[in-house]
């Protein structure tokens, strides 16, 4: 027997229940892993709260690191004892041990420890598809990033700077502005007291930006469109402030023949070969030191409900990891 968090109804952090679970042996194409660290992400709150309509009862979490304990029939590229991590899997990472599709597991380089891996996989793979695929950031670009002091934001700021781009980042406080600047953001806008669209126009000399990375949603999205140069791309990859209202597509024409996309890691990483290539690029920038993964909060896994409350209240910065 092992233990895992389950929830039987959507709701606040209090719906998470620490339960005894019987796993059994891995089936074809599966592996059983023992977690050493598990990542916390805002999408966990969406899933717990019912935003994405997860079938209940359900586990929670899709990012973790640990050790392979056993593999099922047909698994040839993993063996017991391998150190592995993952960033997009079926829900169930909030657990001491779990069964998982083996094609979601990525072998860890010796130079990346388990805690770092649990903090970087979902967020780092998200950044990879955002700036290397959804819109391919290039040297000389000036880009706009919302929530620049969040877990994705701190990685994206560093990686984009490494690529030669200038990052404009929005944050909610002066403290978060300092954090974002220390992680590659060239210009910070404290949106609680500044009009970010006006500041972007000022910073760019009226040229605006080719891409906006927006994980905030309702509170920022329409003004994000005002920051885009003609033919620019609005990349909505989260909605921490709520869902945006139905969009009149005529606005995209009026504001310069703009593009809007709502990408997900599940789509970009659906094929094993794509996921491995994305992870290798992430591992390379971390191993080189171009992107530093800093874990600003750790909680025992059993304290997951408290961590959810802290994340929702914006009491956390950067990456948060549960220790198992």
């Amino acid at each position: 027997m092992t233990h895992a968090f389950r929830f039987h109804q959507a709701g606040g952090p209090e719906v998470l229940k620490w339960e005894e679970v019987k796993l059994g042996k891995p089936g074809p194409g599966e592996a059983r892993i023992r977690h050493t660290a598990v990542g916390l992400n805002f999408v966990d709150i969406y899933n717990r709260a019912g935003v994405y309509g997860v079938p209940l009862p359900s586990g929670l979490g899709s990012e973790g690191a640990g050790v392979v304990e056993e593999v099922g029939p047909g698994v040839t590229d993993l063996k017991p004892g391998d150190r592995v991590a993952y960033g997009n899997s079926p829900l169930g990472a909030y657990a001491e041990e779990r069964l998982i599709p083996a094609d979601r597991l990525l072998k860890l380089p010796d130079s990346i420890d388990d805690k770092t891996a649990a903090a970087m996989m979902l967020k780092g793979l998200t950044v990879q598809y955002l700036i290397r695929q959804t819109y391919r950031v290039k040297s000389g670009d000036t880009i706009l990033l919302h929530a620049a002091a969040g877990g994705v934001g701190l990685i994206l700021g560093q990686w984009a700077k490494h690529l030669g781009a200038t990052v404009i980042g929005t944050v909610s406080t002066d403290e978060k502005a300092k954090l974002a600047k220390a992680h590659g953001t060239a210009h910070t806008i404290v949106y609680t007291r500044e009009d970010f669209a006006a500041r972007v126009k000022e910073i760019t000399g009226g040229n605006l930006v080719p891409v906006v990375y927006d994980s905030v949603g309702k509170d920022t999205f329409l003004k994000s469109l005002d920051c885009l140069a003609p033919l620019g791309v609005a990349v909505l990859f989260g909605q921490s402030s709520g869902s945006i209202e139905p969009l009149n597509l005529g606005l995209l024409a009026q504001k310069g023949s703009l593009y809007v996309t709502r990408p997900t890691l599940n789509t970009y990483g659906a094929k094993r070969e794509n996921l491995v290539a994305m992870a290798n690029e992430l591992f390379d920038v971390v191993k080189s030191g171009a992107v530093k993964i800093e874990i600003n909060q750790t909680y025992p896994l059993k304290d997951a409900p408290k961590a959810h409350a802290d994340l929702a209240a914006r009491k956390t910065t950067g990456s948060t990891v549960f220790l198992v």
Side-chain angles (χ1 to χ4, degrees), residues 206-211 224-233 255-258:
N207 292 323
L208 306 179
V209 297
V211 64
S224 290
L225 299 182
D226 293 333
C227 299
L228 286 168
L231 308 182
V233 184
K255 294 179 183 293
S257 301
L258 305 180

Side-chain angles (χ1 to χ4, degrees), residues 101-172:
D103 70 351
R104 300 295 89 192
L105 295 175
L106 299 152
K107 288 185 184 179
L108 283 174
D110 292 341
S111 57
I112 296 178
D113 64 57
D114 292 13
K115 193 163 71 166
T116 300
M120 69 183 250
M121 295 304 296
L122 189 148
K123 291 176 278 290
L125 291 168
T126 296
V127 172
Q128 195 283 338
Y129 82 70
L130 288 174
I131 69 173
R132 307 297 288 150
Q133 298 185 73
T134 305
Y135 173 89
R136 194 169 177 87
V137 172
K138 60 189 181 297
S139 182
D141 279 345
T142 297
I143 67 175
L144 177 61
L145 167 65
H146 290 301
V152 168
L154 295 182
I155 295 173
L156 197 154
Q158 295 176 80
W159 201 336
K161 181 181 179 181
H162 173 63
L163 294 171
T166 298
V167 182
I168 304 171
T170 70
V171 293
S172 58

